Amino acid sequence: MARPLNILMLGGAKRVSMARHFISTAAAMGFDARIYSFELNADVPVAAVGEVIIGGRWSDPDILAQLDAACVDKGIDIVLPFVDGAVEIAARYGMEPGHAWSPVSAPEVCSTMFDKVVADRVLRAAGVPLPRIVEEGEPKFFPVIAKPRTGSASKGIVVVGDIDEWRSLGLDAERYIVQEYIKNRHEYTLDCYIDRRGNVVAISPRERIEVVGGEVSRTITVSLPEGVEIARKAIEGAGLRGAVTVQLIEDVDTGRLMLMEINPRLGGGAVCSLYAGVNLPAMIINDWLGKDVEPVEAAAGVNMTRYMQEVVFAPDNSVMTLK
């Protein structure tokens, strides 16, 4: 008889495919996996494969108590954050003895990675190649890109072409990190997993071919040895654990390959790496069990493209199917 395995996704509203892979992988490992997702609203796509738990915002003062109530009620074993705001919450919750386990880094490491200015200092000190930054005052080179230091999903980013435009915008330098803007570029995502012992067991590079609303809609796995070493150096320098998404940028004109940012959680396009041989759900389940996680390499040339699929809700918020 299959053992129960209850997985709570935090902000997994659209991660239907990943949820299905967790269910099928768990079944192959002898588990009967049930998916739950902690959301603001009931009518989200993940309801097609699991149960939605209505909760508050990640900034709510009692969010840890809300999370604990959900975990106790559903007997949650593994907590998986899928949005930036939930990562440190999952890390803090998992620190308490007896609480559900989460494949994430320590809370202080998560906090560092979500502040782009602080992360830049830590990674630069570790010898990780990064784009040039404006450390203080007005930029001495252009174009530049100003990113909110705590932002995500490309929100609030501004590209500035010259000093007049810079002065007209009046940006608050304390709220941004300002980097050189590389117009002619390739962008890469590396899906990584570091087990609880600190072993880097997977780094799967893929090129971002098409991006819609900050999320990849088409991607292909590639051979990128230099990028793998950059990711490894960043992981070790920052002390990361669990599921990690590393973003790299390549200056096509100069050949420079640099780290753009790190998200200490599963990325939206990580399903591509699953098909390339990096079974992240199996790694996470084995890590939860305390078993050794075997290192793997991703196959290059696996091309993933996304399409839209509807999930329709009845007036009572139940998922509808056509008869």
Side-chain angles (χ1 to χ4, degrees), residues 33-105:
R34 295 186 179 182
I35 300 294
Y36 300 88
S37 198
F38 196 86
E39 307 289 340
L40 288 171
N41 304 299
D43 53 348
V44 291
V46 75
V49 293
E51 180 182 336
V52 174
I53 299 171
I54 303 299
R57 299 185 181 279
W58 311 123
S59 57
D60 285 357
D62 66 341
I63 191 63
L64 286 174
Q66 292 183 45
L67 180 56
D68 185 53
C71 287
V72 171
D73 181 47
K74 303 300 182 183
I76 299 300
D77 300 297
I78 300 173
V79 175
L80 295 175
F82 282 89
V83 292
D84 291 352
V87 177
E88 192 174 347
I89 300 299
R92 288 164 55 198
Y93 182 75
M95 290 181 66
E96 296 295 326
H99 284 186
W101 177 78
S102 187
V104 294
S105 304

Side-chain angles (χ1 to χ4, degrees), residues 19 26 63 305 307:
I63 191 63
T305 185
Y307 68 98

Side-chain angles (χ1 to χ4, degrees), residues 256-292:
R256 285 190 304 154
L257 189 62
M258 299 159 284
L259 189 143
M260 189 160 53
E261 66 178 72
I262 293 178
N263 292 318
R265 59 172 173 80
L266 281 169
V271 168
C272 185
S273 290
L274 269 65
Y275 283 92
V278 178
N279 192 336
L280 290 161
M283 290 179 172
I284 289 169
I285 294 170
N286 276 323
D287 211 11
W288 164 67
L289 289 168
K291 294 183 177 181
D292 290 339

